[in-house]
Amino acid sequence: QVQLQQPGAELVKPGASVKLSCKASGYTFTSYYMYWVKQRPGQGLEWIGGINPSNGGTNFNEKFKSKATLTVDKSSSTAYMQLSSLTSEDSAVYYCTRNYYFDYWGQGTTLTVSS
Amino acid sequence: DVVVTQTPLSLPVSFGDQVSISCRSSQSLANSYGNTYLSWYLHKPGQSPQLLIYGISNRFSGVPDRFSGSGSGTDFTLKISTIKPEDLGMYYCLQGTHQPFTFGSGTKLEIK
């Protein structure tokens, strides 16, 4: 069965960077785009961007272009999202989700940016 | 960006009710190939969103047939017949035709 595994939580200091992971299993990793979605507390869902694991090609919401970097490791079927220059505005749950219609989702990583 | 206006924000229901949720987009979601990328999700507290409907009206694997989607162009509807306790939560639509992909603001389905 398709699974996307994400760490439950990350705590980082303001100004730092963090690399969130999403380990895929149960399907051919390179066959489907991987997307990332942000949800701030009490807010709705926001699309960050996506990556083609086959060739590393990316597309982004312009709002996140300078904030997020997307990569993959095909050998471990893992997608990564690095977030830089973190502020309190980056505190949120980050989900990875597969395919252009977001059919399977990870459980989400709760990122807390605090000193 | 394509704005997706989702209504209502809140939907108080009784079990067994039938309800509809609407999503309207600021431009047509049909692409030049005739495909329309409009999906619906249910998001329960403490869980990740789950796909219900994709491509306007296609039920995802395992989704009960009391969920149905319809619409075209800029106007889309999710219908839920015979509401059950497990249907409570936040519903979102997503347009995946135009980048950036954009979600509706959500509809909270809750008990009266």
Side-chain angles (χ1 to χ4, degrees):
Chain A
Q1 70 284 21
V2 175
Q3 285 191 326
L4 302 176
Q5 289 180 281
Q6 299 184 255
E10 296 273 1
L11 172 62
V12 293
K13 294 188 184 323
S17 295
V18 68
K19 196 170 186 179
L20 306 182
S21 64
C22 172
K23 183 171 175 55
S25 60
Y27 71 99
T28 302
F29 179 63
T30 51
S31 293
Y32 298 91
Y33 263 78
M34 191 73 79
Y35 294 100
W36 293 84
V37 172
K38 176 182 182 181
Q39 186 174 38
R40 295 209 67 208
Q43 304 294 309
L45 303 168
E46 200 170 12
W47 177 68
I48 297 171
I51 185 166
N52 181 343
S54 176
N55 59 16
T58 56
N59 47 55
F60 280 98
N61 185 336
E62 198 67 33
K63 178 179 175 182
F64 293 96
K65 252 186 176 171
S66 59
K67 171 63 65 176
T69 303
L70 304 182
T71 56
V72 297
D73 177 355
K74 288 191 275 190
S75 68
S76 63
S77 297
T78 303
Y80 297 95
M81 178 173 66
Q82 180 160 326
L83 300 171
S84 60
S85 305
L86 292 167
T87 71
S88 59
E89 297 293 304
D90 298 313
S91 292
V93 178
Y94 292 89
Y95 295 100
C96 59
T97 176
R98 190 191 80 152
N99 206 357
Y100 65 92
Y101 50 86
F102 298 9
D103 53 1
Y104 292 93
W105 295 64
Q107 282 302 305
T109 297
T110 300
L111 175 65
T112 303
V113 181
S114 174
S115 53
Chain B
D1 297 1
V2 174
V3 175
V4 180
T5 303
Q6 186 173 341
T7 56
L9 291 182
S10 172
L11 197 43
V13 300
S14 299
F15 297 131
D17 281 357
Q18 174 174 300
V19 298
S20 293
I21 299 171
S22 167
C23 273
R24 288 192 169 146
S25 56
S26 58
Q27 57 183 278
S28 175
L29 300 185
N31 67 12
S32 53
Y33 300 101
N35 297 318
T36 302
Y37 297 100
L38 188 285
S39 309
W40 292 93
Y41 304 84
L42 168 57
H43 194 190
K44 299 179 186 179
Q47 297 185 19
S48 51
Q50 54 189 96
L51 175 65
L52 300 171
I53 302 284
Y54 65 96
I56 303 177
S57 60
N58 301 288
R59 265 188 306 275
F60 186 53
S61 173
V63 174
D65 60 8
R66 63 178 183 276
F67 292 90
S68 63
S70 62
S72 64
T74 61
D75 210 340
F76 304 92
T77 301
L78 175 71
K79 276 192 187 154
I80 314 169
S81 61
T82 322
I83 289 186
K84 297 189 173 185
E86 57 264 36
D87 300 337
L88 300 180
M90 285 293 291
Y91 286 81
Y92 294 95
C93 59
L94 164 72
Q95 73 80 17
T97 300
H98 305 284
Q99 291 190 16
F101 302 158
T102 44
F103 290 90
S105 51
T107 295
K108 187 171 186 178
L109 197 72
E110 53 192 350
I111 275 296
K112 274 182 189 168

